[in-house]
Amino acid sequence: MKLDSMYQEVILDHYKNPHGRGLRDGDAEVHHVNPTCGDEITLRVRYEGSTLADVSYEGQGCSISQASASVLNELLVGKELDRARRIQETFLELMQSRGKLEPDDAMEDVLEDAVAFAGVSKYPARVKCALLSWMAWKDATVQALGESVMDGAEQSTEKTEKTS
């Protein structure tokens, strides 16, 4: 129970003190909406070579969707693309576990604050909230780098608009 409380505090802290909020110049922009609840995000990425130089976003929605975007910014900015993809894949694995995956030390090392969303995985409707920004990042990266869609991740949110 104490761990759940700590995780809730991490999510609320990212919601109240977001990292990366406010759209800045980028190489690509996408807009995603979670049709289940109406959460939405516009996300921009900027790469310098294969390094993710910046992720910026504007959005509205529940504390889970907005905190998840903040955590994504904190975790991925400054990382090489391969490392960022591994983090995204680990987060996706946690979110798709339906609460059956208990984060171990290795997962905590990879996900850092994102491990706070472990409890969210028990609630399928909330998983879409947590994954909204991560799927937007994935699509913006594809646009920015002209790559094919990253393998291993199933689309969990509905795209409503994509702009360059």
PDB file of all heavy atoms in Angstrom, residues 29-32 139-140 142-143 149 155 159-164:
ATOM      1  N   GLU A  29       5.401  16.927 -35.902  1.00  0.00           N
ATOM      2  CA  GLU A  29       4.328  17.137 -34.931  1.00  0.00           C
ATOM      3  C   GLU A  29       3.200  16.166 -35.227  1.00  0.00           C
ATOM      4  O   GLU A  29       2.855  15.941 -36.387  1.00  0.00           O
ATOM      5  CB  GLU A  29       3.804  18.564 -35.037  1.00  0.00           C
ATOM      6  CG  GLU A  29       2.615  18.849 -34.134  1.00  0.00           C
ATOM      7  CD  GLU A  29       2.113  20.274 -34.283  1.00  0.00           C
ATOM      8  OE1 GLU A  29       2.894  21.212 -34.032  1.00  0.00           O
ATOM      9  OE2 GLU A  29       0.935  20.423 -34.665  1.00  0.00           O
ATOM     10  N   VAL A  30       2.632  15.608 -34.171  1.00  0.00           N
ATOM     11  CA  VAL A  30       1.450  14.750 -34.309  1.00  0.00           C
ATOM     12  C   VAL A  30       0.428  15.167 -33.256  1.00  0.00           C
ATOM     13  O   VAL A  30       0.769  15.761 -32.237  1.00  0.00           O
ATOM     14  CB  VAL A  30       1.781  13.240 -34.163  1.00  0.00           C
ATOM     15  CG1 VAL A  30       2.710  12.764 -35.260  1.00  0.00           C
ATOM     16  CG2 VAL A  30       2.351  12.931 -32.803  1.00  0.00           C
ATOM     17  N   HIS A  31      -0.802  14.830 -33.544  1.00  0.00           N
ATOM     18  CA  HIS A  31      -1.899  15.081 -32.610  1.00  0.00           C
ATOM     19  C   HIS A  31      -2.637  13.761 -32.412  1.00  0.00           C
ATOM     20  O   HIS A  31      -3.072  13.158 -33.384  1.00  0.00           O
ATOM     21  CB  HIS A  31      -2.858  16.149 -33.165  1.00  0.00           C
ATOM     22  CG  HIS A  31      -3.959  16.493 -32.224  1.00  0.00           C
ATOM     23  ND1 HIS A  31      -3.783  17.370 -31.177  1.00  0.00           N
ATOM     24  CD2 HIS A  31      -5.235  16.085 -32.159  1.00  0.00           C
ATOM     25  CE1 HIS A  31      -4.919  17.475 -30.514  1.00  0.00           C
ATOM     26  NE2 HIS A  31      -5.822  16.711 -31.089  1.00  0.00           N
ATOM     27  N   HIS A  32      -2.739  13.318 -31.169  1.00  0.00           N
ATOM     28  CA  HIS A  32      -3.448  12.078 -30.854  1.00  0.00           C
ATOM     29  C   HIS A  32      -4.567  12.365 -29.863  1.00  0.00           C
ATOM     30  O   HIS A  32      -4.435  13.235 -29.001  1.00  0.00           O
ATOM     31  CB  HIS A  32      -2.500  11.059 -30.216  1.00  0.00           C
ATOM     32  CG  HIS A  32      -1.634  10.330 -31.192  1.00  0.00           C
ATOM     33  ND1 HIS A  32      -1.275   9.030 -31.034  1.00  0.00           N
ATOM     34  CD2 HIS A  32      -1.042  10.715 -32.351  1.00  0.00           C
ATOM     35  CE1 HIS A  32      -0.504   8.634 -32.029  1.00  0.00           C
ATOM     36  NE2 HIS A  32      -0.351   9.656 -32.841  1.00  0.00           N
ATOM     37  N   ASP A 139       4.958   7.919 -33.328  1.00  0.00           N
ATOM     38  CA  ASP A 139       4.544   8.398 -34.649  1.00  0.00           C
ATOM     39  C   ASP A 139       5.331   9.637 -35.083  1.00  0.00           C
ATOM     40  O   ASP A 139       5.697   9.771 -36.247  1.00  0.00           O
ATOM     41  CB  ASP A 139       3.046   8.698 -34.670  1.00  0.00           C
ATOM     42  CG  ASP A 139       2.200   7.439 -34.702  1.00  0.00           C
ATOM     43  OD1 ASP A 139       2.757   6.336 -34.920  1.00  0.00           O
ATOM     44  OD2 ASP A 139       0.978   7.543 -34.519  1.00  0.00           O
ATOM     45  N   ALA A 140       5.594  10.546 -34.145  1.00  0.00           N
ATOM     46  CA  ALA A 140       6.369  11.742 -34.478  1.00  0.00           C
ATOM     47  C   ALA A 140       7.793  11.363 -34.868  1.00  0.00           C
ATOM     48  O   ALA A 140       8.378  11.962 -35.777  1.00  0.00           O
ATOM     49  CB  ALA A 140       6.368  12.716 -33.303  1.00  0.00           C
ATOM     50  N   VAL A 142       8.700   8.533 -36.282  1.00  0.00           N
ATOM     51  CA  VAL A 142       8.614   7.975 -37.635  1.00  0.00           C
ATOM     52  C   VAL A 142       8.575   9.106 -38.656  1.00  0.00           C
ATOM     53  O   VAL A 142       9.279   9.074 -39.672  1.00  0.00           O
ATOM     54  CB  VAL A 142       7.377   7.052 -37.774  1.00  0.00           C
ATOM     55  CG1 VAL A 142       7.106   6.701 -39.219  1.00  0.00           C
ATOM     56  CG2 VAL A 142       7.570   5.792 -36.937  1.00  0.00           C
ATOM     57  N   GLN A 143       7.771  10.129 -38.386  1.00  0.00           N
ATOM     58  CA  GLN A 143       7.688  11.284 -39.296  1.00  0.00           C
ATOM     59  C   GLN A 143       9.022  12.019 -39.392  1.00  0.00           C
ATOM     60  O   GLN A 143       9.480  12.352 -40.479  1.00  0.00           O
ATOM     61  CB  GLN A 143       6.643  12.276 -38.786  1.00  0.00           C
ATOM     62  CG  GLN A 143       5.298  12.119 -39.399  1.00  0.00           C
ATOM     63  CD  GLN A 143       4.407  13.284 -39.009  1.00  0.00           C
ATOM     64  OE1 GLN A 143       4.840  14.419 -38.859  1.00  0.00           O
ATOM     65  NE2 GLN A 143       3.136  12.993 -38.851  1.00  0.00           N
ATOM     66  N   VAL A 149       7.290   2.174 -39.179  1.00  0.00           N
ATOM     67  CA  VAL A 149       6.783   2.133 -37.809  1.00  0.00           C
ATOM     68  C   VAL A 149       7.635   1.184 -36.970  1.00  0.00           C
ATOM     69  O   VAL A 149       8.030   0.122 -37.418  1.00  0.00           O
ATOM     70  CB  VAL A 149       5.302   1.683 -37.804  1.00  0.00           C
ATOM     71  CG1 VAL A 149       4.786   1.521 -36.398  1.00  0.00           C
ATOM     72  CG2 VAL A 149       4.459   2.689 -38.559  1.00  0.00           C
ATOM     73  N   GLN A 155      -0.883  -0.080 -31.749  1.00  0.00           N
ATOM     74  CA  GLN A 155      -1.476   1.241 -31.570  1.00  0.00           C
ATOM     75  C   GLN A 155      -2.578   1.174 -30.527  1.00  0.00           C
ATOM     76  O   GLN A 155      -3.504   0.401 -30.633  1.00  0.00           O
ATOM     77  CB  GLN A 155      -2.038   1.746 -32.903  1.00  0.00           C
ATOM     78  CG  GLN A 155      -2.345   3.193 -32.900  1.00  0.00           C
ATOM     79  CD  GLN A 155      -1.083   4.045 -32.871  1.00  0.00           C
ATOM     80  OE1 GLN A 155       0.018   3.580 -32.691  1.00  0.00           O
ATOM     81  NE2 GLN A 155      -1.253   5.317 -33.034  1.00  0.00           N
ATOM     82  N   LYS A 159      -5.458   8.079 -33.787  1.00  0.00           N
ATOM     83  CA  LYS A 159      -4.884   9.309 -34.313  1.00  0.00           C
ATOM     84  C   LYS A 159      -5.993  10.101 -34.988  1.00  0.00           C
ATOM     85  O   LYS A 159      -6.812   9.540 -35.709  1.00  0.00           O
ATOM     86  CB  LYS A 159      -3.793   9.011 -35.336  1.00  0.00           C
ATOM     87  CG  LYS A 159      -2.581   8.369 -34.712  1.00  0.00           C
ATOM     88  CD  LYS A 159      -1.603   7.995 -35.766  1.00  0.00           C
ATOM     89  CE  LYS A 159      -2.049   6.673 -36.315  1.00  0.00           C
ATOM     90  NZ  LYS A 159      -1.193   6.107 -37.302  1.00  0.00           N
ATOM     91  N   THR A 160      -5.999  11.393 -34.766  1.00  0.00           N
ATOM     92  CA  THR A 160      -7.008  12.207 -35.431  1.00  0.00           C
ATOM     93  C   THR A 160      -6.377  13.157 -36.437  1.00  0.00           C
ATOM     94  O   THR A 160      -7.042  13.634 -37.320  1.00  0.00           O
ATOM     95  CB  THR A 160      -7.809  13.033 -34.412  1.00  0.00           C
ATOM     96  OG1 THR A 160      -6.909  13.847 -33.691  1.00  0.00           O
ATOM     97  CG2 THR A 160      -8.599  12.136 -33.501  1.00  0.00           C
ATOM     98  N   GLU A 161      -5.088  13.442 -36.282  1.00  0.00           N
ATOM     99  CA  GLU A 161      -4.476  14.420 -37.140  1.00  0.00           C
ATOM    100  C   GLU A 161      -2.975  14.222 -37.086  1.00  0.00           C
ATOM    101  O   GLU A 161      -2.420  13.913 -36.066  1.00  0.00           O
ATOM    102  CB  GLU A 161      -4.839  15.808 -36.624  1.00  0.00           C
ATOM    103  CG  GLU A 161      -4.201  16.933 -37.327  1.00  0.00           C
ATOM    104  CD  GLU A 161      -4.561  18.257 -36.680  1.00  0.00           C
ATOM    105  OE1 GLU A 161      -5.484  18.317 -35.857  1.00  0.00           O
ATOM    106  OE2 GLU A 161      -3.886  19.229 -37.005  1.00  0.00           O
ATOM    107  N   LYS A 162      -2.328  14.398 -38.229  1.00  0.00           N
ATOM    108  CA  LYS A 162      -0.872  14.413 -38.282  1.00  0.00           C
ATOM    109  C   LYS A 162      -0.466  15.586 -39.159  1.00  0.00           C
ATOM    110  O   LYS A 162      -0.999  15.752 -40.237  1.00  0.00           O
ATOM    111  CB  LYS A 162      -0.323  13.144 -38.918  1.00  0.00           C
ATOM    112  CG  LYS A 162      -0.269  11.953 -38.040  1.00  0.00           C
ATOM    113  CD  LYS A 162       0.481  10.878 -38.803  1.00  0.00           C
ATOM    114  CE  LYS A 162       0.629   9.644 -37.984  1.00  0.00           C
ATOM    115  NZ  LYS A 162       1.352   8.615 -38.722  1.00  0.00           N
ATOM    116  N   THR A 163       0.457  16.378 -38.674  1.00  0.00           N
ATOM    117  CA  THR A 163       0.976  17.472 -39.484  1.00  0.00           C
ATOM    118  C   THR A 163       2.489  17.482 -39.387  1.00  0.00           C
ATOM    119  O   THR A 163       3.056  17.050 -38.411  1.00  0.00           O
ATOM    120  CB  THR A 163       0.427  18.827 -38.989  1.00  0.00           C
ATOM    121  OG1 THR A 163       0.782  18.991 -37.620  1.00  0.00           O
ATOM    122  CG2 THR A 163      -1.063  18.932 -39.184  1.00  0.00           C
ATOM    123  N   SER A 164       3.116  17.986 -40.447  1.00  0.00           N
ATOM    124  CA  SER A 164       4.595  18.072 -40.417  1.00  0.00           C
ATOM    125  C   SER A 164       5.030  19.404 -39.904  1.00  0.00           C
ATOM    126  O   SER A 164       4.436  20.381 -39.981  1.00  0.00           O
ATOM    127  CB  SER A 164       5.150  17.864 -41.813  1.00  0.00           C
ATOM    128  OG  SER A 164       4.879  16.547 -42.221  1.00  0.00           O
TER     129      SER A 164
END
